[in-house]
């Protein structure tokens, strides 16, 4: 893919953490980039694997930063997981490891949440994680519960460095139970299917923009869309050769794409 081919992309699926902001700090040029996309009639969807918060929380956060979004403009790996459960495992009993707000969103969506004897254990990026939750999750998985996880990110970028994310938490459970989860969110097919279904764009018209090769970039590259890496978050230039997935394009930050989008 050439940089000039960006003009043919119709939907830009933007990662958030490490791509347009770090913690509560905007990455330089992010607002200008999104404004440029809108002025050129490009679709914009904000998608984050971060399942420690709900889409509603991200809408509020983005609007406080000046992005002017509504509920339809934001999607999370938690939303993909809810859809997956309601499609594949309707009414199954689910033990959910999640923050209170995310737990409420699953309950409001009709997921049958339980504390004992679940059919499924779902791991999210739970910033309220306790040893008791981990112990129960491991116990249920050892006893045969299906193990699902919202996303595989190992670290979550912050302004001060990184904090352990859902993938790191799942590794602990896997070490204890010898069971690996089925991951949802980016870079997996279920995420692209949901985006295509909800937006109406074809895969080849979509580009995934983000700071991680193994999630953001791989989502596009592995599923018939485009994957574009920005070096404003987790991945640095020296890290790129370590991955099997090759980004279609690489930019220092999202703002640097502006000259090629018309």
């Amino acid at each position: 893919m050439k940089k000039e081919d960006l003009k043919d992309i119709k939907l830009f699926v933007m990662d958030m953490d490490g791509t347009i902001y770090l913690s509560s700090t905007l990455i330089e040029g992010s607002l200008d980039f999104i404004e440029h996309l809108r002025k050129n009639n490009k679709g914009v969807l904000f998608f984050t694997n971060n399942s420690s918060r709900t889409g509603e929380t991200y809408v509020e956060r983005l609007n406080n930063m000046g992005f002017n979004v509504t509920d339809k403009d934001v999607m999370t790996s938690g939303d993909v997981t809810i859809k997956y459960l309601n499609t594949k495992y309707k009414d199954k009993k689910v033990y959910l490891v999640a923050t209170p707000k995310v737990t409420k969103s699953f309950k409001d969506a009709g997921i049958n949440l339980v504390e004992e004897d679940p059919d499924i254990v779902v791991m999210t990026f739970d910033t309220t994680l306790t040893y008791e939750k981990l112990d129960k999750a491991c116990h249920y998985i050892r006893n045969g519960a299906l193990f699902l996880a919202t996303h595989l990110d190992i670290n979550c970028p912050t302004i001060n460095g990184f904090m352990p994310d859902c993938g790191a938490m799942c590794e602990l459970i896997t070490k204890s139970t010898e069971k690996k989860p089925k991951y949802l969110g980016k870079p997996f097919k279920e995420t692209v299917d949901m985006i295509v279904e909800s937006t109406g764009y074809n895969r080849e018209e979509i580009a995934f923009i983000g700071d991680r090769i193994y999630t953001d970039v791989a989502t596009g590259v592995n599923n018939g869309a485009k994957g574009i890496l920005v070096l404003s978050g987790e991945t640095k230039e020296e890290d790129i050769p370590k991955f099997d997935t090759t980004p279609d394009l690489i930019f220092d930050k999202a703002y640097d794409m502006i000259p090629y989008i018309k």
Side-chain angles (χ1 to χ4, degrees):
M1 181 183 186
K2 298 177 181 178
K3 291 180 179 179
E4 289 74 16
D5 294 334
L6 280 171
K7 68 181 186 302
D8 299 322
I9 299 298
K10 295 184 179 179
L11 175 65
F12 288 77
V13 181
M14 303 297 303
D15 179 50
M16 290 186 261
D17 300 315
T19 301
I20 60 171
Y21 60 71
L22 284 169
S23 297
S24 58
T25 303
L26 274 172
I27 292 170
E28 183 184 6
S30 295
L31 283 172
D32 292 333
F33 176 66
I34 299 303
E35 183 179 352
H36 182 79
L37 292 179
R38 290 169 174 161
K39 282 182 177 178
N40 285 273
N41 298 313
K42 303 295 187 181
V44 180
L45 177 67
F46 294 93
F47 188 105
T48 181
N49 263 359
N50 190 330
S51 57
S52 67
R53 304 180 181 91
T54 63
E56 180 183 1
T57 304
Y58 283 107
V59 169
E60 181 180 355
R61 185 174 194 177
L62 288 167
N63 284 336
N64 287 340
M65 291 181 172
F67 285 100
N68 190 26
V69 299
T70 64
D71 289 346
K72 67 178 178 60
D73 300 318
V74 177
M75 192 180 293
T76 76
S77 64
D79 297 326
V80 175
T81 304
I82 287 170
K83 181 176 177 60
Y84 184 79
L85 288 169
N86 275 330
T87 301
K88 299 281 188 181
Y89 299 103
K90 186 71 174 173
D91 299 325
K92 291 290 186 180
K93 294 181 291 183
V94 175
Y95 179 67
L96 178 67
V97 183
T99 61
K101 282 190 176 181
V102 171
T103 298
K104 183 178 184 300
S105 73
F106 273 68
K107 189 176 297 183
D108 290 347
I111 306 301
N112 181 18
L113 300 183
V114 298
E115 288 294 321
E116 303 291 339
D117 193 29
D119 302 301
I120 303 168
V121 171
V122 175
M123 192 75 192
T124 73
F125 180 15
D126 184 6
T127 55
T128 60
L129 186 65
T130 63
Y131 187 84
E132 181 184 4
K133 290 182 183 181
L134 282 172
D135 185 31
K136 291 176 76 171
C138 290
H139 174 71
Y140 298 144
I141 291 166
R142 285 192 207 96
N143 285 352
L146 179 67
F147 185 13
L148 300 179
T150 53
H151 62 294
L152 52 64
D153 298 46
I154 300 298
N155 289 312
C156 178
T158 73
I159 196 68
N160 296 315
F162 300 101
M163 58 192 295
D165 207 325
C166 180
M169 298 171 185
C170 288
E171 283 293 321
L172 188 155
I173 294 173
T174 296
K175 283 291 186 181
S176 177
T177 65
E178 299 184 344
K179 301 291 184 181
K180 294 183 178 181
K182 174 179 174 58
Y183 287 107
L184 299 161
K186 295 179 289 189
F188 298 104
K189 178 179 179 292
E190 289 82 4
T191 289
V192 182
D193 288 346
M194 186 170 176
I195 290 172
V196 168
E197 182 180 331
S198 63
T199 65
Y201 291 99
N202 296 322
R203 292 165 192 268
E204 59 270 17
E205 299 173 323
I206 302 173
F208 287 82
I209 321 297
D211 65 305
R212 295 181 182 90
I213 293 180
Y214 64 95
T215 54
D216 305 311
V217 172
T219 307
V221 172
N222 295 345
N223 294 284
K226 301 298 182 186
I228 299 173
L229 177 68
V230 291
L231 302 172
S232 51
E234 180 176 315
T235 305
K236 303 306 177 188
E237 193 165 7
E238 60 269 23
D239 298 325
I240 296 171
K242 301 174 184 175
F243 295 93
D244 295 331
T245 301
T246 302
D248 289 300
L249 292 171
I250 302 170
F251 293 89
D252 286 339
K253 54 186 181 300
Y255 177 83
D256 296 332
M257 286 184 268
I258 286 180
Y260 306 99
I261 299 169
K262 302 174 183 177

